[in-house]
Amino acid sequence: MTVTKMSWRPQYRSSKFRNVYGKVANREHCFDGIPITKNVHDNHFCAVNARFLAIVTESAGGGSFLVIPLEQTGRIEPNYPKVCGHQGNVLDIKWNPFIDNIIASCSEDTSVRIWEIPEGGLKRNMTEALLELHGHSRRVGLVEWHPTTNNILFSAGYDYKVLIWNLDVGEPVKMIDCHTDVILCMSFNTDGSLLTTTCKDKKLRVIEPRSGRVLQEANCKNHRVNRVVFLGNMKRLLTTGVSRWNTRQIALWDQEDLSMPLIEEEIDGLSGLLFPFYDADTHMLYLAGKGDGNIRYYEISTEKPYLSYLMEFRSPAPQKGLGVMPKHGLDVSACEVFRFYKLVTLKGLIEPISMIVPRRSDSYQEDIYPMTPGTEPALTPDEWLGGINRDPVLMSLKEGYKKSSKVVFKAPIREKKSVVVNGIDLLENVPPRTENELLRMFFRQQDEIRRLKEELTQKDIRIRQLQLELKNLRNSPKNC
């Protein structure tokens, strides 16, 4: 008689990322002595690219951030120059994906600003932005660059609006006005044809950004959404949030049907926000808890069970936020597939954490480095605004990953005037709610009055000149 044993063990999954481990940089390769902002806004306060690290800092009067060349590790001097043009706290910063030295920042002073960082970093404080973008009537909490189009920037404000800026002209060209509360997070699909947002009104939305049309909407009452990320071209979204029992939770959604999540998974009972990061090249998802030191990572597939837990990186130092290095800035010789820059507020420390696939071979590992979005834009702003979608221009990390982008940023020359989008003047008719807003509005109006007075004087002078010319013409003898 034969007895067949039922195996209770889960099916073993072979995965090349099964043994990925996190490696913290040595102390001399960290950035030390940085007065990291104490702002409680739920952002990363950190942005990194292949050349620079930018961190929002604590500062009295106005908002500022540091920009440090990546090779300048170690202790940062207390008087290190800052980017400090904003009149209110800086709430978000993002590097242009196609131009290494262009960074966008947004602030409580209701403005979005574009800065050009000189070669080799700052030598003195920078107060003059390349572009000052005024269009929001409340503070601006988020900025995101379009993933495939050059010079298209999205900003989300506490006026519940998302503005789309064409930086070629320095103006907002579209307004998305479908939210009824503060927007918490924005994420794009691979070609930037869809935008997904989470909002304090407990709704998850998939939006066609050019028309502002809401294609899908989920009412997340049981899973209160905080953060969302598009999972590349899988037609899936992943959200992090809180369950009705106040446990941290993630949910996976089909982007074309948000009526029910495909899966919901409890993570733990801690209270900090869960930041999701997705790597479309390796199909790995990283979950980092704000206020704890853990980073869990999973592999995502299109078939059930969709989400496979791999491992957890643990550290006793709590993270306030995390910057992520773009793919072309990674060390492929060390089989590094992801790199975080962790903000440790208590120590004033920025700690690089490399996620490494353990391999013995020194040769280039083609299977873990597929072609990846590079530093060349696929579209111009006019093409994208005209309705064209195009996938990112891919690059191989084998040869060309040190190539610098040929794109150059040119700031448009423009006069300050009212900002009209969809027939609404965004800077008019919004009563201030706080004393700060009242002061900002007062100073803005003072500037406007000063500008108008100067304009009036110039026009008076011009009128007098024209009157004289006309008089001279009248008095001159007529030519025969």
Side-chain angles (χ1 to χ4, degrees):
M1 183 180 151
T2 57
V3 178
T4 54
K5 279 190 178 179
M6 290 292 288
S7 171
W8 57 269
R9 290 177 183 276
Q11 188 81 38
Y12 176 78
R13 283 182 71 261
S14 72
S15 163
K16 58 186 98 151
F17 304 110
R18 193 173 180 78
N19 298 311
V20 167
Y21 65 95
K23 183 184 176 188
V24 181
N26 299 334
R27 192 67 190 233
E28 64 266 24
H29 293 125
C30 295
F31 300 83
D32 202 355
I34 292 168
I36 300 165
T37 179
K38 296 184 175 68
N39 197 308
V40 293
H41 194 71
D42 281 331
N43 271 350
H44 293 296
F45 298 112
C46 175
V48 64
N49 65 18
R51 285 172 61 195
F52 297 109
L53 170 69
I55 311 106
V56 179
T57 56
E58 192 63 20
S59 63
S64 62
F65 58 96
L66 283 173
V67 175
I68 307 164
L70 278 188
E71 62 277 5
Q72 201 175 321
T73 53
R75 190 151 194 88
I76 303 300
E77 293 303 313
N79 56 353
Y80 193 88
K82 293 183 173 80
V83 179
C84 50
H86 281 288
Q87 275 100 48
N89 289 327
V90 174
L91 297 180
D92 198 12
I93 46 174
K94 294 277 162 59
W95 288 106
N96 184 319
F98 310 115
I99 312 172
D100 274 348
N101 64 334
I102 298 290
I103 189 166
S105 63
C106 64
S107 159
E108 289 183 349
D109 67 9
T110 75
S111 74
V112 176
R113 298 185 192 208
I114 310 297
W115 310 85
E116 184 175 26
I117 306 303
E119 288 294 316
L122 299 177
K123 299 289 179 276
R124 62 184 69 84
N125 281 356
M126 181 179 272
T127 54
E128 285 297 308
L130 264 186
L131 267 180
E132 270 185 47
L133 307 172
H134 292 282
H136 288 284
S137 57
R138 304 258 178 276
R139 58 187 167 151
V140 189
L142 295 169
V143 282
E144 287 291 344
W145 294 90
H146 191 274
T148 61
T149 309
N150 189 33
N151 279 351
I152 290 282
L153 182 75
F154 286 61
S155 63
Y158 276 61
D159 51 8
Y160 315 157
K161 293 176 176 61
V162 176
L163 293 184
I164 306 176
W165 303 86
N166 177 357
L167 302 186
D168 278 1
V169 295
E171 298 285 347
V173 284
K174 302 275 176 187
M175 177 170 70
I176 299 170
D177 194 10
C178 58
H179 300 87
T180 61
D181 209 325
V182 176
I183 299 141
L184 301 172
C185 183
M186 298 191 283
S187 176
F188 291 98
N189 64 345
T190 308
D191 66 1
S193 60
L194 294 175
L195 170 74
T196 178
T197 62
T198 56
C199 180
K200 257 193 175 165
D201 63 12
K202 300 189 177 70
K203 285 184 180 171
L204 169 68
R205 294 171 174 89
V206 175
I207 300 163
E208 202 291 307
R210 281 169 294 221
S211 65
R213 209 154 46 89
V214 178
L215 305 177
Q216 287 287 326
E217 191 174 273
N219 222 334
C220 308
K221 287 202 165 70
N222 297 337
H223 165 78
R224 289 203 309 281
V225 287
N226 282 321
R227 289 288 177 277
V228 61
V229 64
F230 254 111
L231 302 181
N233 281 333
M234 282 189 178
K235 302 211 163 178
R236 299 272 192 273
L237 304 172
L238 185 121
T239 57
T240 67
V242 181
S243 73
R244 56 166 69 171
W245 296 282
N246 274 353
T247 55
R248 295 200 290 193
Q249 194 182 44
I250 56 173
L252 187 71
W253 307 79
D254 179 340
Q255 76 179 38
E256 283 162 6
D257 178 15
L258 298 186
S259 56
M260 280 286 287
L262 297 170
I263 53 167
E264 281 182 349
E265 194 162 307
E266 306 279 318
I267 301 298
D268 57 29
L270 298 177
S271 60
L273 186 78
L274 274 178
F275 291 119
F277 301 90
Y278 179 65
D279 180 359
D281 297 345
T282 60
H283 304 301
M284 280 176 73
L285 169 78
Y286 300 86
L287 292 178
K290 184 181 176 180
D292 58 68
N294 305 344
I295 302 173
R296 297 171 175 83
Y297 36 107
Y298 302 77
E299 201 167 6
I300 292 192
S301 60
T302 45
E303 281 100 45
K304 284 185 177 177
Y306 304 123
L307 208 63
S308 308
Y309 175 75
L310 294 171
M311 229 189 289
E312 183 175 2
F313 166 81
R314 290 188 175 181
S315 151
Q319 56 229 2
K320 184 184 179 71
L322 295 150
V324 171
M325 175 62 78
K327 268 289 158 87
H328 59 273
L330 298 179
D331 182 0
V332 294
S333 63
C335 295
E336 183 184 37
V337 288
F338 214 72
R339 191 191 305 158
F340 292 103
Y341 284 76
K342 170 176 165 174
L343 275 62
V344 187
T345 317
L346 297 173
K347 298 181 185 172
L349 186 70
I350 312 289
E351 207 173 49
I353 302 166
S354 298
M355 308 310 286
I356 292 169
V357 179
R359 297 262 170 113
R360 290 185 193 281
S361 167
D362 288 338
S363 62
Y364 178 72
Q365 306 290 307
E366 205 92 41
D367 60 327
I368 60 172
Y369 295 116
M371 296 284 279
T372 193
T375 54
E376 296 298 319
L379 293 165
T380 65
D382 290 343
E383 286 172 329
W384 184 76
L385 290 164
I388 300 171
N389 293 319
R390 208 171 282 156
D391 281 332
V393 179
L394 301 180
M395 71 194 286
S396 162
L397 297 186
K398 189 174 185 178
E399 275 102 36
Y401 81 103
K402 290 294 180 212
K403 265 195 254 168
S404 61
S405 168
K406 299 174 194 68
V407 189
V408 178
F409 186 86
K410 273 196 204 131
I413 298 158
R414 64 200 180 97
E415 287 179 23
K416 279 195 174 176
K417 58 178 186 288
S418 63
V419 179
V420 179
V421 181
N422 301 5
I424 301 163
D425 189 338
L426 300 177
L427 298 180
E428 289 296 316
N429 309 326
V430 183
R433 286 184 189 169
T434 64
E435 196 178 333
N436 269 352
E437 278 185 14
L438 189 66
L439 278 170
R440 278 200 293 277
M441 192 170 269
F442 170 74
F443 289 126
R444 194 189 283 166
Q445 284 173 349
Q446 290 297 304
D447 286 346
E448 184 71 1
I449 290 165
R450 201 175 301 119
R451 188 183 66 77
L452 288 168
K453 276 183 178 171
E454 280 170 17
E455 214 173 281
L456 209 57
T457 312
Q458 293 299 321
K459 283 183 176 163
D460 277 347
I461 293 165
R462 184 73 184 127
I463 287 166
R464 279 198 212 106
Q465 281 175 340
L466 289 168
Q467 280 172 337
L468 274 170
E469 281 173 31
L470 198 62
K471 204 173 181 182
N472 290 341
L473 273 171
R474 278 185 187 146
N475 293 339
S476 66
K478 284 184 183 172
N479 295 328
C480 298

